[in-house]
Amino acid sequence: MAKQTGGCLCGQVRYELEGDPIATAVCHCTNCQRQSGAAFSLNHLVAEAQLTIKGELATFDDTSETGSKVYRKFCPKCGSPIISTLEAMPGMAAIKVGTLDDTSTVTPSVQVWCDSKQNWVELSSDLPGVPKNMPAA
């Protein structure tokens, strides 16, 4: 895949992603619902080394339903969520797909935290899902 670019609503934060994401996950956890203000969050899971960020990010230290830390990073000016990093997955980042400049090739590959899914959300029956988080490899 070619380089992908993205950024926040106000343009203060920009990023470049080199290479393909490891996965593209629909996250139905209640904290992602609250952060996004939507029924779920769509995230590219990537190695942090694939990502170059220009601009400063603010961080909110969140605690997941499993008790591990989730570092939710966002633009301090406009509040756009950009990435999350997880204590349970060092060296990895979850890019908020809605911040990509071009989302035309994005296809989710998995759903996580399906136990928290809004009852009116219906995604493709071909999209695999797990009740909580993906098991650690």
Side-chain angles (χ1 to χ4, degrees):
M1 176 180 282
K3 179 175 19 181
Q4 292 183 293
T5 59
C8 68
L9 186 60
C10 73
Q12 181 173 301
V13 176
R14 296 289 303 158
Y15 64 81
E16 294 181 351
L17 170 64
E18 292 286 345
D20 293 331
I22 296 163
T24 301
V26 175
C27 184
H28 297 284
C29 82
T30 55
N31 288 13
C32 276
Q33 291 177 33
R34 287 189 180 109
Q35 183 194 32
S36 68
F40 53 82
S41 178
L42 186 59
N43 304 283
H44 271 340
L45 183 62
V46 302
E48 285 185 282
Q50 292 177 260
L51 194 56
T52 303
I53 298 175
K54 297 176 184 169
E56 295 299 317
L57 292 172
T59 302
F60 175 72
D61 293 356
D62 191 9
T63 302
S64 74
E65 293 181 33
T66 63
S68 66
K69 290 288 184 188
V70 176
Y71 305 101
R72 297 181 182 275
K73 301 178 183 198
F74 57 96
C75 173
K77 184 175 178 184
C78 68
S80 297
I82 304 296
I83 66 168
S84 293
T85 57
L86 296 89
E87 180 180 61
M89 299 177 75
M92 303 301 292
I95 299 172
K96 303 302 179 181
V97 169
T99 64
L100 289 168
D101 293 333
D102 179 7
T103 59
S104 64
T105 61
V106 174
T107 303
S109 55
V110 66
Q111 299 180 76
V112 296
W113 293 99
C114 292
D115 281 357
S116 306
K117 184 172 75 168
Q118 296 291 319
N119 63 5
W120 50 267
V121 170
E122 293 184 32
L123 300 176
S124 171
S125 61
D126 295 337
L127 185 60
V130 294
K132 300 286 184 196
N133 211 0
M134 294 298 293

